[in-house]
C-alpha cells in the first residue's frame, strides 16, 4: 500500500499515476521517491498497461524536493548523501525509460523536481495558469539529477534561459522552451490529455515500446556515467555552505545572505 501516490487503471489499460501528497504540495520526500520508483517498475512490467498519465492531486503539480528531506542531508555522512541523491536520480531514469507512453498532466505550480518530472514525460499538457521554475539555485543547490532530462527536453540553448536564474515562467514560455506540448484552460486538461492518450490504443504496444527505446537511443546520452555525475554534483552541494544557508533561511523565514 502506498501513502504518497495513488494509481487508477481503466478498462482500456490507461493508468493514472497520481502524486498524492497534496498537503505538502506534492513535494518529493524519500518515501515518495521510493514509491514512485517501485510503481514505475511494476507498471512497466504489466502487459495490461497501455498508457500512463502522470498527474497530481491538490492545488500543485509538484513543488520540487521536500525541504525537510534535503535538510536531513546536512547531518548525513557523504556516503549517505550519495545514496539519497542516487535514489532520486534512478527514480527519474525509471520514469524516463518506462516502456509505455508517459503523458504529463500539469496544473498549478511545478518547481524544481516538478520540472524534472515533466521532462521525463513523452508529452506534457499543462494548464494555462500554471507557473514553473527551476528554483534550486535560490536555495544554494543546483538542478543536478533532473539536469540531463531538462537539457534533453529543452536543448542547452533554451535551458540556459531558466536553468540557473530560478525565475518563474508561465505556460506560454514553457511551451516555447519545449517543456509543454500544449497549454489549455484547466477545465480542458482532461480532454486534452485524452486526445494524447487515445491514438496509442490503436498502436501495437510492443512497437510503441521499441520505438521509444530507439528514439531515446538516438537522443542525448543519459547513462550510468551521466547519472553518477549528477549524483556527485548534488551531494557536493549538500556538503557545501550555500545549501544549508539557503534551506535554513527558508525555514527561518528570512532572506539568505546572498540576497541583496
Amino acid at each position: 500500500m502506498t501513502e504518497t501516490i495513488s494509481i487508477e487503471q481503466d478498462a482500456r489499460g490507461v493508468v493514472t499515476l497520481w502524486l498524492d501528497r497534496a498537503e505538502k504540495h506534492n513535494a518529493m520526500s524519500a518515501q515518495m521517491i521510493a514509491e514512485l520508483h517501485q510503481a514505475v517498475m511494476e507498471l512497466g512490467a504489466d502487459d495490461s498497461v497501455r498508457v500512463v498519465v502522470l498527474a497530481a492531486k491538490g492545488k500543485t503539480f509538484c513543488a520540487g524536493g521536500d525541504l525537510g528531506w534535503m535538510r536531513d542531508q546536512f547531518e548525513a555522512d557523504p556516503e549517505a548523501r550519495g545514496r539519497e541523491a542516487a535514489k532520486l536520480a534512478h527514480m527519474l531514469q525509471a520514469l524516463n525509460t518506462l516502456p509505455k507512453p508517459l503523458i504529463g498532466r500539469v496544473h498549478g505550480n511545478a518547481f524544481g523536481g516538478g520540472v524534472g518530472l515533466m521532462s521525463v514525460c513523452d508529452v506534457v499538457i499543462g494548464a494555462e495558469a500554471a507557473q514553473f521554475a527551476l528554483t534550486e539555485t535560490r536555495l544554494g543547490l543546483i538542478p543536478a539529477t533532473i539536469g540531463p532530462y531538462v537539457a534533453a527536453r529543452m536543448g542547452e540553448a533554451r535551458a540556459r534561459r531558466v536553468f540557473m536564474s530560478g525565475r518563474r515562467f508561465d505556460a506560454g514560455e514553457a511551451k516555447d522552451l519545449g517543456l509543454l506540448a500544449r497549454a489549455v484552460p484547466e477545465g480542458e486538461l482532461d480532454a486534452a490529455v485524452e486526445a494524447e492518450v487515445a491514438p496509442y490504443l490503436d498502436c501495437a504496444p510492443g512497437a510503441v515500446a521499441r520505438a521509444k527505446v530507439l528514439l531515446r537511443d538516438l537522443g542525448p546520452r543519459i547513462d550510468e556515467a551521466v547519472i553518477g555525475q549528477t549524483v556527485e554534483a548534488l551531494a557536493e552541494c549538500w556538503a557545501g555552505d550555500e545549501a544549508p544557508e539557503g534551506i535554513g533561511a527558508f525555514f527561518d523565514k528570512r532572506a539568505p545572505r546572498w540576497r541583496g
Side-chain angles (χ1 to χ4, degrees):
M1 181 177 177
T2 58
E3 297 180 2
T4 66
I5 64 172
S6 54
I7 299 171
E8 298 173 359
Q9 182 170 345
D10 69 17
R12 303 174 299 168
V14 178
V15 168
T16 303
L17 176 56
W18 294 97
L19 307 181
D20 199 355
R21 202 172 179 237
E23 74 286 356
K24 296 293 186 180
H25 298 280
N26 294 311
M28 290 187 287
S29 62
Q31 183 178 5
M32 179 181 273
I33 290 166
E35 290 183 353
L36 273 172
H37 197 163
Q38 181 63 32
V40 170
M41 298 305 291
E42 292 175 0
L43 293 172
D46 188 342
D47 291 339
S48 73
V49 176
R50 299 290 302 275
V51 183
V52 178
V53 176
L54 181 62
K57 301 287 183 74
K59 296 180 179 180
T60 303
F61 176 72
C62 179
D66 183 274
L67 293 182
W69 171 68
M70 292 184 190
R71 188 167 59 174
D72 290 343
Q73 308 316 311
F74 305 143
E75 306 300 325
D77 58 55
E79 185 177 343
R81 290 190 195 112
R83 285 196 302 268
E84 289 303 299
K87 290 175 184 177
L88 174 57
H90 286 106
M91 180 273 288
L92 290 167
Q93 181 68 328
L95 279 165
N96 192 54
T97 58
L98 177 68
K100 318 282 182 177
L102 181 61
I103 313 298
R105 180 195 184 279
V106 176
H107 72 289
N109 298 330
F111 296 150
V115 175
L117 290 175
M118 294 170 65
S119 297
V120 298
C121 292
D122 298 311
V123 63
V124 182
I125 309 299
E128 288 176 340
Q131 294 281 305
F132 310 90
L134 289 153
T135 51
E136 286 87 348
T137 53
R138 297 174 66 88
L139 296 168
L141 294 165
I142 60 174
T145 52
I146 69 173
Y149 310 104
V150 173
R153 174 54 57 88
M154 297 184 185
E156 181 186 350
R158 288 184 295 184
R160 284 187 181 208
R161 289 163 47 181
V162 295
F163 198 76
M164 298 87 75
S165 68
R167 70 172 176 85
R168 291 195 183 196
F169 52 98
D170 62 16
E173 187 170 4
K175 186 177 176 183
D176 183 54
L177 290 166
L179 190 59
L180 288 181
R182 293 175 61 195
V184 300
E186 187 163 341
E188 298 176 17
L189 261 180
D190 289 333
V193 168
E194 175 61 25
E196 296 293 335
V197 168
Y200 284 110
L201 304 178
D202 292 328
C203 298
V208 169
R210 287 190 290 272
K212 184 170 178 176
V213 169
L214 175 62
L215 185 59
R216 195 175 63 248
D217 287 344
L218 295 172
R221 177 179 59 88
I222 304 176
D223 58 13
E224 283 300 318
V226 171
I227 291 170
Q229 180 183 357
T230 70
V231 166
E232 183 177 350
L234 180 57
E236 286 177 354
C237 281
W238 281 337
D241 295 329
E242 290 184 337
E245 168 66 13
I247 294 174
F250 177 88
F251 281 108
D252 295 342
K253 295 181 171 55
R254 61 175 175 83
R257 64 172 184 265
W258 55 75
R259 187 177 297 171

